[in-house]
Tab-separated table of all heavy atoms in Angstrom:
chain	number	residue	atom	x	y	z
A	158	TYR	N	0.817	-1.196	0.033
A	158	TYR	CA	0.027	-0.002	-0.061
A	158	TYR	C	0.814	1.265	-0.036
A	158	TYR	O	0.628	2.126	-0.700
A	158	TYR	CB	-0.975	-0.019	1.246
A	158	TYR	CG	-1.580	1.299	1.430
A	158	TYR	CD1	-2.711	1.669	0.653
A	158	TYR	CD2	-1.200	2.216	2.406
A	158	TYR	CE1	-3.350	2.968	0.853
A	158	TYR	CE2	-1.739	3.369	2.661
A	158	TYR	CZ	-2.897	3.752	1.859
A	158	TYR	OH	-3.527	4.946	2.075
A	159	LYS	N	1.960	1.212	0.806
A	159	LYS	CA	2.768	2.300	0.923
A	159	LYS	C	3.471	2.654	-0.398
A	159	LYS	O	3.591	3.738	-0.910
A	159	LYS	CB	3.837	2.158	2.079
A	159	LYS	CG	4.834	3.301	2.320
A	159	LYS	CD	5.761	2.962	3.424
A	159	LYS	CE	6.858	3.929	3.435
A	159	LYS	NZ	7.872	3.550	4.500
A	160	LEU	N	4.015	1.584	-1.119
A	160	LEU	CA	4.655	1.668	-2.370
A	160	LEU	C	3.704	2.257	-3.472
A	160	LEU	O	4.004	3.148	-4.214
A	160	LEU	CB	5.121	0.254	-2.742
A	160	LEU	CG	6.008	0.323	-4.047
A	160	LEU	CD1	7.278	1.190	-3.844
A	160	LEU	CD2	6.407	-1.152	-4.359
A	161	GLU	N	2.469	1.726	-3.449
A	161	GLU	CA	1.456	2.223	-4.374
A	161	GLU	C	1.203	3.718	-4.133
A	161	GLU	O	1.034	4.439	-5.048
A	161	GLU	CB	0.143	1.363	-4.326
A	161	GLU	CG	0.315	-0.054	-4.903
A	161	GLU	CD	-0.982	-0.973	-4.673
A	161	GLU	OE1	-1.818	-0.567	-3.946
A	161	GLU	OE2	-0.944	-2.033	-5.212
A	162	ALA	N	0.893	3.939	-2.847
A	162	ALA	CA	0.701	5.420	-2.539
A	162	ALA	C	1.753	6.301	-2.938
A	162	ALA	O	1.600	7.480	-3.381
A	162	ALA	CB	0.388	5.459	-0.982
A	163	GLN	N	2.999	5.844	-2.713
A	163	GLN	CA	4.187	6.655	-3.100
A	163	GLN	C	4.301	6.856	-4.579
A	163	GLN	O	4.503	7.882	-5.139
A	163	GLN	CB	5.482	5.886	-2.639
A	163	GLN	CG	6.726	6.775	-2.667
A	163	GLN	CD	6.785	8.042	-1.893
A	163	GLN	OE1	6.233	7.946	-0.695
A	163	GLN	NE2	7.255	9.086	-2.223
A	164	GLU	N	3.935	5.752	-5.351
A	164	GLU	CA	3.930	5.844	-6.811
A	164	GLU	C	2.851	6.842	-7.337
A	164	GLU	O	3.169	7.618	-8.192
A	164	GLU	CB	3.740	4.392	-7.462
A	164	GLU	CG	5.000	3.568	-7.322
A	164	GLU	CD	4.682	2.127	-7.822
A	164	GLU	OE1	3.499	1.820	-8.289
A	164	GLU	OE2	5.688	1.345	-7.852
A	165	ALA	N	1.608	6.742	-6.676
A	165	ALA	CA	0.596	7.590	-7.041
A	165	ALA	C	0.927	8.968	-6.708
A	165	ALA	O	0.643	9.893	-7.599
A	165	ALA	CB	-0.661	7.209	-6.304
A	166	LEU	N	1.511	9.285	-5.709
A	166	LEU	CA	1.973	10.641	-5.120
A	166	LEU	C	3.032	11.129	-6.165
A	166	LEU	O	2.978	12.318	-6.627
A	166	LEU	CB	2.519	10.630	-3.778
A	166	LEU	CG	2.927	11.928	-3.135
A	166	LEU	CD1	1.703	12.852	-3.051
A	166	LEU	CD2	3.652	11.709	-1.900
A	167	ASN	N	3.978	10.243	-6.550
A	167	ASN	CA	5.086	10.724	-7.436
A	167	ASN	C	4.377	10.979	-8.839
A	167	ASN	O	4.790	11.930	-9.493
A	167	ASN	CB	6.141	9.515	-7.637
A	167	ASN	CG	6.926	9.514	-6.394
A	167	ASN	OD1	7.101	10.483	-5.618
A	167	ASN	ND2	7.658	8.384	-6.190
A	168	LYS	N	3.485	10.109	-9.280
A	168	LYS	CA	2.843	10.456	-10.536
A	168	LYS	C	2.005	11.717	-10.592
A	168	LYS	O	2.162	12.508	-11.485
A	168	LYS	CB	1.853	9.306	-10.898
A	168	LYS	CG	1.264	9.374	-12.310
A	168	LYS	CD	0.401	8.096	-12.516
A	168	LYS	CE	-0.012	8.049	-14.049
A	168	LYS	NZ	-1.291	8.741	-14.280
A	169	GLU	N	1.300	12.011	-9.531
A	169	GLU	CA	0.628	13.208	-9.348
A	169	GLU	C	1.453	14.410	-9.284
A	169	GLU	O	1.252	15.406	-9.898
A	169	GLU	CB	-0.257	13.142	-8.097
A	169	GLU	CG	-1.380	14.239	-8.045
A	169	GLU	CD	-2.271	14.095	-6.848
A	169	GLU	OE1	-2.728	12.975	-6.556
A	169	GLU	OE2	-2.558	15.142	-6.171
A	170	LYS	N	2.659	14.211	-8.604
A	170	LYS	CA	3.611	15.304	-8.547
A	170	LYS	C	4.208	15.592	-9.891
A	170	LYS	O	4.285	16.684	-10.267
A	170	LYS	CB	4.794	14.908	-7.554
A	170	LYS	CG	5.669	15.936	-7.250
A	170	LYS	CD	6.809	15.436	-6.226
A	170	LYS	CE	7.845	16.526	-5.881
A	170	LYS	NZ	8.843	16.062	-5.022
A	171	GLN	N	4.453	14.465	-10.667
A	171	GLN	CA	5.001	14.676	-11.949
A	171	GLN	C	4.032	15.326	-12.942
A	171	GLN	O	4.466	16.316	-13.685
A	171	GLN	CB	5.478	13.307	-12.567
A	171	GLN	CG	6.121	13.441	-13.949
A	171	GLN	CD	7.461	14.117	-13.844
A	171	GLN	OE1	8.335	13.951	-12.966
A	171	GLN	NE2	7.787	14.949	-14.942
A	172	ASP	N	2.754	14.918	-12.830
A	172	ASP	CA	1.764	15.598	-13.575
A	172	ASP	C	1.601	17.138	-13.268
A	172	ASP	O	1.467	17.935	-14.169
A	172	ASP	CB	0.417	14.949	-13.380
A	172	ASP	CG	0.238	13.530	-13.969
A	172	ASP	OD1	1.190	13.204	-14.847
A	172	ASP	OD2	-0.573	12.761	-13.683
A	173	SER	N	1.617	17.396	-11.963
A	173	SER	CA	1.569	18.828	-11.483
A	173	SER	C	2.744	19.563	-12.125
A	173	SER	O	2.547	20.736	-12.503
A	173	SER	CB	1.556	18.821	-10.008
A	173	SER	OG	0.383	18.283	-9.499
A	174	MET	N	3.877	19.035	-11.992
A	174	MET	CA	5.065	19.645	-12.663
A	174	MET	C	4.952	20.000	-14.073
A	174	MET	O	5.326	21.007	-14.514
A	174	MET	CB	6.393	18.927	-12.222
A	174	MET	CG	6.774	18.859	-10.705
A	174	MET	SD	6.947	20.587	-10.022
A	174	MET	CE	8.533	20.990	-10.727
A	175	ASN	N	4.475	18.890	-14.696
A	175	ASN	CA	4.206	19.112	-16.169
A	175	ASN	C	3.247	20.146	-16.461
A	175	ASN	O	3.492	21.132	-17.435
A	175	ASN	CB	3.800	17.800	-16.837
A	175	ASN	CG	4.852	16.701	-16.888
A	175	ASN	OD1	6.070	17.074	-16.859
A	175	ASN	ND2	4.456	15.484	-17.049
A	176	ARG	N	2.174	20.224	-15.656
A	176	ARG	CA	1.158	21.234	-15.856
A	176	ARG	C	1.680	22.636	-15.622
A	176	ARG	O	1.536	23.630	-16.297
A	176	ARG	CB	-0.021	21.051	-14.959
A	176	ARG	CG	-1.067	20.209	-15.662
A	176	ARG	CD	-2.455	20.299	-14.990
A	176	ARG	NE	-2.357	20.252	-13.489
A	176	ARG	CZ	-2.572	19.153	-12.760
A	176	ARG	NH1	-2.899	18.005	-13.310
A	176	ARG	NH2	-2.496	19.191	-11.422
A	177	TYR	N	2.562	22.698	-14.449
A	177	TYR	CA	3.172	23.933	-14.118
A	177	TYR	C	4.130	24.441	-15.196
A	177	TYR	O	4.111	25.700	-15.563
A	177	TYR	CB	3.995	23.817	-12.753
A	177	TYR	CG	4.774	24.998	-12.441
A	177	TYR	CD1	4.082	26.136	-11.962
A	177	TYR	CD2	6.191	24.991	-12.671
A	177	TYR	CE1	4.825	27.291	-11.640
A	177	TYR	CE2	6.895	26.183	-12.303
A	177	TYR	CZ	6.256	27.315	-11.855
A	177	TYR	OH	6.966	28.397	-11.561
A	178	GLY	N	4.877	23.435	-15.786
A	178	GLY	CA	5.905	23.834	-16.878
A	178	GLY	C	5.037	24.338	-18.086
A	178	GLY	O	5.523	25.311	-18.689
A	179	ALA	N	3.953	23.663	-18.357
A	179	ALA	CA	3.246	24.206	-19.635
A	179	ALA	C	2.654	25.600	-19.294
A	179	ALA	O	2.642	26.495	-20.100
A	179	ALA	CB	2.084	23.099	-19.906
A	180	LEU	N	2.055	25.752	-18.052
A	180	LEU	CA	1.536	27.000	-17.778
A	180	LEU	C	2.593	28.075	-17.778
A	180	LEU	O	2.440	29.272	-18.131
A	180	LEU	CB	0.674	26.961	-16.404
A	180	LEU	CG	-0.652	26.278	-16.469
A	180	LEU	CD1	-1.098	26.068	-15.008
A	180	LEU	CD2	-1.575	26.892	-17.312
A	181	SER	N	3.703	27.745	-17.300
A	181	SER	CA	4.781	28.726	-17.173
A	181	SER	C	5.302	29.175	-18.537
A	181	SER	O	5.475	30.255	-18.749
A	181	SER	CB	5.862	28.089	-16.323
A	181	SER	OG	7.131	28.985	-16.251
A	182	SER	N	5.382	28.148	-19.436
A	182	SER	CA	5.832	28.528	-20.800
A	182	SER	C	4.771	29.348	-21.525
A	182	SER	O	5.037	30.297	-22.195
A	182	SER	CB	6.184	27.299	-21.663
A	182	SER	OG	5.068	26.472	-21.773
A	183	GLN	N	3.463	29.013	-21.297
A	183	GLN	CA	2.398	29.792	-21.861
A	183	GLN	C	2.313	31.105	-21.393
A	183	GLN	O	2.152	32.146	-21.921
A	183	GLN	CB	1.046	29.079	-21.533
A	183	GLN	CG	-0.250	29.680	-22.297
A	183	GLN	CD	-1.481	28.909	-21.995
A	183	GLN	OE1	-1.478	28.045	-21.161
A	183	GLN	NE2	-2.593	29.288	-22.680
A	184	HIS	N	2.596	31.353	-20.063
A	184	HIS	CA	2.665	32.616	-19.346
A	184	HIS	C	3.836	33.415	-20.147
A	184	HIS	O	3.672	34.629	-20.272
A	184	HIS	CB	2.943	32.433	-17.839
A	184	HIS	CG	3.248	33.731	-17.187
A	184	HIS	ND1	2.291	34.598	-16.896
A	184	HIS	CD2	4.365	34.279	-16.738
A	184	HIS	CE1	2.864	35.662	-16.285
A	184	HIS	NE2	4.120	35.466	-16.139
A	185	LYS	N	4.979	32.856	-20.341
A	185	LYS	CA	6.128	33.529	-20.867
A	185	LYS	C	5.772	34.017	-22.241
A	185	LYS	O	6.076	35.110	-22.671
A	185	LYS	CB	7.387	32.651	-21.042
A	185	LYS	CG	8.062	32.602	-19.590
A	185	LYS	CD	9.313	31.533	-19.661
A	185	LYS	CE	9.888	31.293	-18.292
A	185	LYS	NZ	11.071	30.379	-18.426
A	186	ILE	N	5.071	33.120	-23.041
A	186	ILE	CA	4.726	33.447	-24.412
A	186	ILE	C	3.734	34.655	-24.439
A	186	ILE	O	3.798	35.632	-25.112
A	186	ILE	CB	4.039	32.269	-25.048
A	186	ILE	CG1	5.053	31.154	-25.314
A	186	ILE	CG2	3.288	32.698	-26.328
A	186	ILE	CD1	4.643	29.859	-25.844
A	187	LEU	N	2.748	34.619	-23.490
A	187	LEU	CA	1.695	35.655	-23.354
A	187	LEU	C	2.392	36.888	-22.845
A	187	LEU	O	2.024	38.087	-23.416
A	187	LEU	CB	0.540	35.328	-22.421
A	187	LEU	CG	-0.377	34.150	-22.997
A	187	LEU	CD1	-1.341	33.686	-21.945
A	187	LEU	CD2	-1.125	34.601	-24.157
A	188	LYS	N	3.292	36.796	-21.934
A	188	LYS	CA	4.041	37.993	-21.447
A	188	LYS	C	4.886	38.669	-22.639
A	188	LYS	O	4.815	39.951	-22.763
A	188	LYS	CB	4.943	37.605	-20.387
A	188	LYS	CG	5.651	38.648	-19.572
A	188	LYS	CD	6.377	38.255	-18.379
A	188	LYS	CE	6.986	39.329	-17.638
A	188	LYS	NZ	7.784	38.846	-16.555
A	189	ASN	N	5.508	37.837	-23.459
A	189	ASN	CA	6.203	38.351	-24.594
A	189	ASN	C	5.318	39.116	-25.580
A	189	ASN	O	5.609	40.106	-26.139
A	189	ASN	CB	7.030	37.307	-25.300
A	189	ASN	CG	8.187	36.813	-24.467
A	189	ASN	OD1	8.705	37.587	-23.602
A	189	ASN	ND2	8.783	35.707	-24.665
A	190	GLN	N	4.107	38.341	-25.826
A	190	GLN	CA	3.159	38.958	-26.789
A	190	GLN	C	2.648	40.221	-26.273
A	190	GLN	O	2.528	41.205	-26.966
A	190	GLN	CB	2.005	37.969	-26.931
A	190	GLN	CG	2.193	36.758	-27.798
A	190	GLN	CD	1.064	35.925	-27.956
A	190	GLN	OE1	0.099	35.997	-27.159
A	190	GLN	NE2	1.125	34.971	-28.907
A	191	HIS	N	2.404	40.281	-24.908
A	191	HIS	CA	1.959	41.590	-24.302
A	191	HIS	C	2.931	42.709	-24.402
A	191	HIS	O	2.681	43.800	-24.754
A	191	HIS	CB	1.720	41.235	-22.794
A	191	HIS	CG	1.313	42.463	-21.952
A	191	HIS	ND1	0.082	43.140	-22.156
A	191	HIS	CD2	2.013	43.264	-21.147
A	191	HIS	CE1	0.038	44.221	-21.434
A	191	HIS	NE2	1.149	44.328	-20.742
A	192	GLU	N	4.238	42.402	-24.235
A	192	GLU	CA	5.283	43.342	-24.405
A	192	GLU	C	5.341	43.820	-25.815
A	192	GLU	O	5.602	44.940	-26.118
A	192	GLU	CB	6.662	42.689	-23.958
A	192	GLU	CG	6.766	42.539	-22.523
A	192	GLU	CD	6.706	43.805	-21.754
A	192	GLU	OE1	7.158	44.921	-22.102
A	192	GLU	OE2	6.067	43.800	-20.631
A	193	ASP	N	5.143	42.908	-26.857
A	193	ASP	CA	5.282	43.236	-28.179
A	193	ASP	C	4.070	44.246	-28.524
A	193	ASP	O	4.185	45.199	-29.266
A	193	ASP	CB	5.126	41.965	-29.094
A	193	ASP	CG	6.444	41.151	-29.095
A	193	ASP	OD1	7.440	41.638	-28.638
A	193	ASP	OD2	6.313	40.004	-29.493
A	194	VAL	N	2.850	43.809	-28.011
A	194	VAL	CA	1.685	44.718	-28.253
A	194	VAL	C	1.869	46.078	-27.633
A	194	VAL	O	1.511	46.995	-28.244
A	194	VAL	CB	0.356	44.027	-27.702
A	194	VAL	CG1	-0.791	44.934	-27.728
A	194	VAL	CG2	0.108	42.817	-28.585
A	195	LYS	N	2.458	46.096	-26.401
A	195	LYS	CA	2.769	47.482	-25.748
A	195	LYS	C	3.725	48.234	-26.698
A	195	LYS	O	3.471	49.431	-26.835
A	195	LYS	CB	3.360	47.199	-24.369
A	195	LYS	CG	2.271	47.069	-23.286
A	195	LYS	CD	2.829	46.662	-21.966
A	195	LYS	CE	3.765	47.831	-21.357
A	195	LYS	NZ	4.243	47.423	-20.021
A	196	LYS	N	4.744	47.579	-27.203
A	196	LYS	CA	5.657	48.248	-28.015
A	196	LYS	C	5.052	48.807	-29.287
A	196	LYS	O	5.352	49.847	-29.723
A	196	LYS	CB	6.842	47.400	-28.346
A	196	LYS	CG	8.034	47.939	-29.171
A	196	LYS	CD	9.196	46.973	-29.329
A	196	LYS	CE	10.253	47.666	-30.161
A	196	LYS	NZ	11.271	46.841	-30.590
A	197	GLN	N	4.151	47.899	-29.896
A	197	GLN	CA	3.496	48.349	-31.059
A	197	GLN	C	2.607	49.508	-30.830
A	197	GLN	O	2.557	50.456	-31.579
A	197	GLN	CB	2.628	47.141	-31.580
A	197	GLN	CG	2.918	46.621	-32.938
A	197	GLN	CD	1.957	45.484	-33.267
A	197	GLN	OE1	1.206	45.004	-32.508
A	197	GLN	NE2	2.028	45.169	-34.475
A	198	LEU	N	1.984	49.452	-29.650
A	198	LEU	CA	1.040	50.630	-29.325
A	198	LEU	C	1.800	51.877	-29.204
A	198	LEU	O	1.489	52.967	-29.633
A	198	LEU	CB	0.330	50.310	-28.020
A	198	LEU	CG	-0.496	51.450	-27.275
A	198	LEU	CD1	-1.621	51.853	-28.354
A	198	LEU	CD2	-1.082	51.052	-26.008
A	199	LEU	N	2.919	51.680	-28.411
A	199	LEU	CA	3.821	52.952	-28.357
A	199	LEU	C	4.326	53.462	-29.647
A	199	LEU	O	4.269	54.742	-29.937
A	199	LEU	CB	5.063	52.604	-27.471
A	199	LEU	CG	5.926	53.745	-27.062
A	199	LEU	CD1	5.129	54.793	-26.186
A	199	LEU	CD2	7.115	53.186	-26.246
A	200	ASP	N	4.725	52.521	-30.522
A	200	ASP	CA	5.176	52.992	-31.892
A	200	ASP	C	3.998	53.683	-32.631
A	200	ASP	O	4.225	54.736	-33.176
A	200	ASP	CB	5.715	51.740	-32.652
A	200	ASP	CG	6.955	51.241	-32.164
A	200	ASP	OD1	7.634	51.901	-31.316
A	200	ASP	OD2	7.366	50.056	-32.572
A	201	LEU	N	2.849	53.073	-32.506
A	201	LEU	CA	1.669	53.622	-33.244
A	201	LEU	C	1.259	54.978	-32.734
A	201	LEU	O	0.886	55.945	-33.355
A	201	LEU	CB	0.503	52.664	-33.173
A	201	LEU	CG	0.597	51.487	-34.148
A	201	LEU	CD1	-0.559	50.447	-33.876
A	201	LEU	CD2	0.701	51.819	-35.541
A	202	GLN	N	1.355	55.178	-31.325
A	202	GLN	CA	1.046	56.436	-30.745
A	202	GLN	C	2.117	57.479	-31.137
A	202	GLN	O	1.737	58.624	-31.495
A	202	GLN	CB	1.082	56.320	-29.161
A	202	GLN	CG	-0.092	55.599	-28.641
A	202	GLN	CD	0.052	55.422	-27.172
A	202	GLN	OE1	1.087	55.413	-26.572
A	202	GLN	NE2	-1.058	55.245	-26.473
A	203	LEU	N	3.379	57.134	-31.233
A	203	LEU	CA	4.387	58.077	-31.733
A	203	LEU	C	4.129	58.488	-33.150
A	203	LEU	O	4.276	59.555	-33.542
A	203	LEU	CB	5.819	57.478	-31.585
A	203	LEU	CG	6.239	57.252	-30.101
A	203	LEU	CD1	7.657	56.559	-30.161
A	203	LEU	CD2	6.498	58.637	-29.470
A	204	GLN	N	3.831	57.485	-34.045
A	204	GLN	CA	3.482	57.671	-35.382
A	204	GLN	C	2.330	58.620	-35.544
A	204	GLN	O	2.197	59.543	-36.349
A	204	GLN	CB	3.230	56.430	-36.123
A	204	GLN	CG	3.096	56.428	-37.581
A	204	GLN	CD	2.785	55.195	-38.296
A	204	GLN	OE1	2.763	54.161	-37.652
A	204	GLN	NE2	2.717	55.142	-39.547
A	205	HIS	N	1.314	58.276	-34.690
A	205	HIS	CA	0.065	59.105	-34.647
A	205	HIS	C	0.351	60.583	-34.384
A	205	HIS	O	-0.185	61.454	-34.990
A	205	HIS	CB	-0.964	58.549	-33.678
A	205	HIS	CG	-2.209	59.370	-33.472
A	205	HIS	ND1	-3.193	59.587	-34.485
A	205	HIS	CD2	-2.625	60.170	-32.490
A	205	HIS	CE1	-4.179	60.323	-34.073
A	205	HIS	NE2	-3.784	60.646	-32.785
């Protein structure tokens, strides 16, 4: 039982880490896009 519980816990921990990694990379992508859009807005305001 202890071994099965440990394996289940490890599997859940690994899944959580995978989800965290995916969300972290998605966050970085969205953050970069946000910065690009802010830069574009600034450029367009200057042009305007």
Side-chain angles (χ1 to χ4, degrees):
Y158 169 76
K159 185 179 169 184
L160 186 63
E161 288 174 352
Q163 190 67 35
E164 287 176 358
L166 184 64
N167 286 341
K168 185 174 188 272
E169 192 173 317
K170 186 177 177 182
Q171 185 64 39
D172 290 346
S173 295
M174 291 302 288
N175 288 342
R176 271 198 316 265
Y177 174 77
L180 287 173
S181 179
S182 66
Q183 187 177 9
H184 173 72
K185 284 180 185 175
I186 290 170
L187 290 174
K188 191 174 177 182
N189 288 338
Q190 285 178 345
H191 176 70
E192 290 299 321
D193 290 346
V194 167
K195 273 174 63 176
K196 186 178 176 188
Q197 242 181 348
L198 174 65
L199 186 62
D200 290 345
L201 287 174
Q202 284 175 336
L203 290 173
Q204 186 180 4
H205 173 71

